[in-house]
Amino acid sequence: MSELHTAFPPLQRHTPLEDLQALLVGCFFVALSVLVFRHSHLMPGGTAGLSFLGHYLGGWPIGAVLFVVSIPFYLFAYRALGLAFTVRTFVAVGVLSVYTEVLPAFISFGPLHPVAAAITAGLQAGVGILILIRHGASLGGLGVLALYLQKTRGWRAGTVQMAGDCLILLAGLLAMSPTQVALSVLAAGALNLVIGVNHRPGRYFGA
């Protein structure tokens, strides 16, 4: 028994500095995916997808819309997952909103193959969100609900997120062609594959 205890020492909580770097790095990966989505005229799922709809239909800034759309979910996050999670999520959404508006001045892309763009954007977003989840944060919206259901019901967060993403992406037909919507669904599949495989119930919730 002592040998097992030595082999698997108790988990240590992340330090504030570790949480900070996770928020900055995780949001950076997601912001890169946002650039690819926008460059390829695709859209992600979740609240980010709603922000893209507002951008495509009304020309509104993606970062600003993302921040506003996420506000109603903070109350649910506070009541369901606690103050620390809510604060980290609020900061993460704010950081992502800033990245989304600032990074286009420094990063641009040439022609991208649509399928490669969809998969790349999905994987980038998945890795970024996974980093945030493992440090007790999310990007609000469906991510909060997915994490809550995983903790309380044992449902895989990736599966819940994917179901919600598909519904939001169907609304993308208001602004995109069926082919672009299909590619966006492919991106959502890549995103949720990363989360579903690497963040299963009972394994890792962050500390």
Side-chain angles (χ1 to χ4, degrees):
M1 183 67 68
S2 60
E3 292 179 356
L4 288 176
H5 181 75
T6 303
F8 300 98
L11 293 176
Q12 296 182 351
R13 298 186 65 85
H14 295 125
T15 66
L17 182 59
E18 290 171 338
D19 286 336
L20 176 61
Q21 68 82 27
L23 290 176
L24 295 176
V25 173
C27 288
F28 183 76
F29 274 105
V30 178
L32 288 177
S33 77
V34 169
L35 296 186
V36 176
F37 277 119
R38 182 160 55 185
H39 178 80
S40 305
H41 202 74
L42 305 176
M43 62 179 275
T47 50
L50 297 177
S51 303
F52 268 74
L53 272 181
H55 175 70
Y56 289 150
L57 295 174
W60 300 333
I62 293 176
V65 176
L66 175 63
F67 189 83
V68 172
V69 169
S70 298
I71 290 176
F73 293 96
Y74 295 133
L75 178 60
F76 175 78
Y78 172 70
R79 299 180 68 175
L81 298 170
L83 178 61
F85 178 88
T86 304
V87 170
R88 293 190 191 103
T89 296
F90 181 85
V91 172
V93 173
V95 170
L96 178 61
S97 298
V98 172
Y99 277 161
T100 300
E101 298 305 317
V102 172
L103 287 181
F106 301 94
I107 299 175
S108 60
F109 301 98
L112 297 176
H113 189 281
V115 174
I119 295 175
T120 298
L123 294 177
Q124 285 176 325
V127 171
I129 292 172
L130 181 64
I131 291 173
L132 295 176
I133 290 173
R134 291 192 167 186
H135 284 262
S138 77
L139 291 175
L142 290 177
V144 174
L145 179 60
L147 288 175
Y148 173 74
L149 291 175
Q150 176 161 306
K151 280 192 171 184
T152 59
R153 303 290 181 85
W155 299 357
R156 287 193 180 185
T159 302
V160 175
Q161 183 83 39
M162 185 65 188
D165 286 348
C166 286
L167 293 176
I168 291 174
L169 291 173
L170 285 176
L173 290 170
L174 296 172
M176 301 186 302
S177 70
T179 299
Q180 289 169 321
V181 171
L183 289 170
S184 297
V185 172
L186 175 62
L191 185 161
N192 289 291
L193 176 65
V194 172
I195 297 176
V197 170
N198 295 283
H199 191 69
R200 296 183 181 181
R203 283 193 175 177
Y204 193 119
F205 290 113

